[in-house]
Amino acid sequence: AGDAEAGKAKAAVCAACHGADGVAMIPGYPNLKGQNEQYLVSALKAYKNKERNGGMAAVMQPQAAMLSDTDMVNVAAYFSQMK
Amino acid sequence: AGDAEAGKAKAAVCAACHGADGVAMIPGYPNLKGQNEQYLVSALKAYKNKERNGGMAAVMQPQAAMLSDTDMVNVAAYFSQMK
């Protein structure tokens, strides 16, 4: 599992759209609160690898590209442990 | 918004992986409980249009392909209204 504390620092930029509490700012974005860590990592990787397109991929691909594998696991841990 | 009752009937097959209660069977799949309806529709469309690849897209694309636009909105309403 990732380090949620380290993830919190990395997740500041995510909060702008996904909410500091993991509840998305607009209904077109997904809530991340309580989402499965492993799924979040696979989604971030699919954006980073440009496998995920459509929807808000144009925004998410560059965001994911800035994250290392460790960052991804930590950010995913941070949102998944939110209750 | 979609018709959650109609969505429930369509969502039987989804429950096999995403859980009848919207909590995924394995951590690699996303929980859908309480997710934003509009986001779920955009994800399903991206799978149907084969824009979303990577992760479990190989499973999700044929599933989404079987859904009409109305089905998608109804299934999305069903999961998003889950508390």
Side-chain angles (χ1 to χ4, degrees):
Chain A
D3 170 352
E5 264 322 296
K8 184 172 184 175
K10 273 286 161 189
V13 62
C14 313
C17 298
H18 293 290
D21 57 357
V23 177
M25 293 298 176
I26 68 163
Y29 306 157
N31 300 323
L32 300 183
K33 180 174 81 165
Q35 185 54 275
N36 286 322
E37 180 177 323
Q38 198 180 319
Y39 168 71
L40 290 174
V41 171
S42 83
L44 284 168
K45 282 185 175 164
Y47 280 123
K48 186 170 186 177
N49 301 333
K50 298 194 186 332
E51 291 168 311
R52 266 197 182 193
N53 299 285
M56 296 302 290
V59 173
M60 278 305 297
Q61 285 182 2
Q63 293 294 338
M66 292 188 287
L67 299 175
S68 69
D69 287 353
T70 306
D71 291 334
M72 289 183 182
V73 175
N74 293 343
V75 165
Y78 174 60
F79 282 108
S80 74
Q81 51 89 35
M82 285 181 179
K83 289 287 167 281
Chain B
D3 171 351
E5 264 322 296
K8 183 172 183 174
K10 273 286 159 187
V13 61
C14 315
C17 298
H18 294 288
D21 57 356
V23 177
M25 293 298 176
I26 67 162
Y29 305 158
N31 299 324
L32 300 183
K33 182 174 83 162
Q35 185 54 275
N36 286 322
E37 180 177 322
Q38 201 181 319
Y39 168 71
L40 290 175
V41 171
S42 82
L44 284 168
K45 283 185 176 164
Y47 281 122
K48 186 170 186 178
N49 301 333
K50 299 194 186 328
E51 291 168 312
R52 267 197 180 195
N53 298 283
M56 296 301 292
V59 172
M60 277 306 296
Q61 286 181 0
Q63 292 295 337
M66 293 189 286
L67 299 175
S68 69
D69 287 354
T70 307
D71 291 335
M72 289 184 181
V73 175
N74 292 343
V75 165
Y78 174 60
F79 282 108
S80 73
Q81 50 89 35
M82 285 181 180
K83 290 284 169 284

